[in-house]
Amino acid sequence: MRLDKKVAFITGAASGIGKRIAEVFAQAGATVAVADLNADGAEATAARLRALGHRAVGIGVDITQEAEVDAAVARAVAELGGLDILVSNAGIQTVAPLVEFRFEDWKKVLAVHLDGAFLTARAAMRQMVASGHGGSILFMGSVHSKEASVLKAPYVTAKHGLEGLAKVIAKEGASHLIRANVICPGFVRTPLVDKQIPEQARALGISEDEVVRKVMLKDTVDGEFTTVDDVARVALMFAAFPTQALTGQSLVVSHGWFMQ
Ligand code: NAD
């Protein structure tokens, strides 16, 4: 599974899952645009990749802003010579019971996950169509693309929505050799999850340890968190897959938490 001569644009790549995907893609031969709201973090990740001999640029971008996304993708294409892979990965989480959910928090979660996915996919697809080479579009879904949990109304709604968007892209993109897939991880110990452990403990009236054991890992087969490596391997498989056989599919990577 190699990505030699491929250029990948990865959002949310200053941290957690996106950062590991950037490292694994670079090791597989890809040139990487490390895109993130945290511009300094994006540049730091890109600088570490360059120090290891890889080609990478850091790009600050808010994926909810149309003009910023178009400019960021245009910059990646100009500086790196094209665009073959999009990993639309950036995400946020806010937990609260639905009856207490603030409308502005609902809109923010939907904007980052859905507006961000649409805007980055549209910009990437325009480039992939123009190049004539097509490419691979990956969305970071979640077990919450398939299943619900309490306290996560907008997140579950958005993650389910990504499955629909990927299927549309698989159909509209097929004649341009554009593939689309969704990766659906279980809980991964990243800053996004570390933030919600105390929030869930407060909302559910249980200890933080109980949140980990009785909420997050309860239904896994081995009591283990999914790792950033687990997710990055699946991303590499989809990005490097040579045909359209898997387009439109999602894959759950969750240590058995959710089985289809
Ligand atoms: P993380 O908090 O470690 O990283 C998320 C990154 O996204 C951060 O660097 C942040 O700056 C960036 N970001 C946030 N809003 C942005 C915006 N508007 N524009 C550009 N960048 C923005 O989180 P993570 O756990 O690595 O999550 C990455 C993705 O994986 C998310 O889509 C998340 O929903 C999904 N996911 C995570 C888990 C998990 O357990 N950690 C499980 C399933 C799915």
Side-chain angles (χ1 to χ4, degrees):
M1 288 290 177
R2 295 289 304 172
L3 297 174
D4 300 301
K5 300 200 177 90
K6 303 290 186 196
V7 178
F9 187 97
I10 306 171
T11 70
S15 176
I17 293 170
K19 185 159 114 183
R20 187 64 190 141
I21 291 174
E23 292 164 355
V24 167
F25 278 23
Q27 284 161 11
T31 297
V32 179
V34 177
D36 204 288
L37 186 62
N38 174 359
D40 291 343
E43 180 45 35
T45 300
R48 268 194 305 279
L49 293 177
R50 288 195 298 270
L52 292 169
H54 305 300
R55 277 187 76 206
V57 294
I59 300 179
V61 60
D62 181 345
I63 55 161
T64 67
Q65 301 302 313
E66 182 175 19
E68 283 191 41
V69 170
D70 288 346
V73 169
R75 185 182 147 196
V77 170
E79 291 187 20
L80 304 177
L83 180 57
D84 307 287
I85 302 159
L86 167 69
V87 185
S88 179
N89 162 79
I92 59 170
Q93 178 64 280
T94 302
V95 295
L98 190 137
V99 290
E100 290 168 21
F101 232 104
R102 295 178 336 155
F103 188 34
E104 63 190 84
D105 290 337
W106 162 271
K107 283 191 281 194
K108 188 165 181 205
V109 174
L110 291 189
V112 172
H113 292 277
L114 291 181
D115 296 357
F118 163 70
L119 290 172
T120 53
R122 190 183 65 175
M125 286 178 74
R126 285 174 174 168
Q127 172 58 29
M128 289 170 182
V129 169
S131 77
H133 302 131
S136 168
I137 308 251
L138 302 183
F139 294 118
M140 196 54 62
S142 164
V143 164
H144 289 113
S145 300
K146 314 279 185 188
E147 182 60 275
S149 290
V150 297
L151 309 177
K152 296 186 176 176
Y155 188 85
V156 170
T157 303
K159 291 301 193 189
H160 275 67
L162 292 176
E163 297 234 307
L165 181 59
K167 289 176 188 173
V168 173
I169 293 171
K171 293 199 172 185
E172 289 193 11
S175 61
H176 301 286
L177 304 177
I178 296 170
R179 298 171 283 121
N181 294 100
V182 186
I183 303 168
C184 301
F187 283 100
V188 185
R189 204 73 199 253
T190 67
L192 180 138
V193 160
D194 286 339
K195 172 177 163 284
Q196 68 178 276
I197 291 173
E199 291 172 353
Q200 288 216 34
R202 266 194 307 279
L204 297 172
I206 57 178
S207 71
E208 293 187 19
D209 182 54
E210 286 173 314
V211 170
V212 171
R213 284 188 298 105
K214 296 186 176 169
V215 178
M216 295 183 165
L217 304 182
K218 175 170 72 74
D219 294 321
T220 61
V221 295
D222 53 8
E224 299 282 343
F225 277 98
T226 301
T227 67
V228 291
D229 275 324
D230 291 331
V231 181
R233 285 192 183 106
V234 172
L236 178 60
M237 186 270 294
F238 276 134
F241 204 82
T243 73
Q244 302 215 38
L246 296 179
T247 196
Q249 300 297 321
S250 58
L251 186 60
V252 178
V253 47
S254 73
H255 287 236
W257 166 16
F258 182 86
M259 299 188 194
Q260 285 178 305

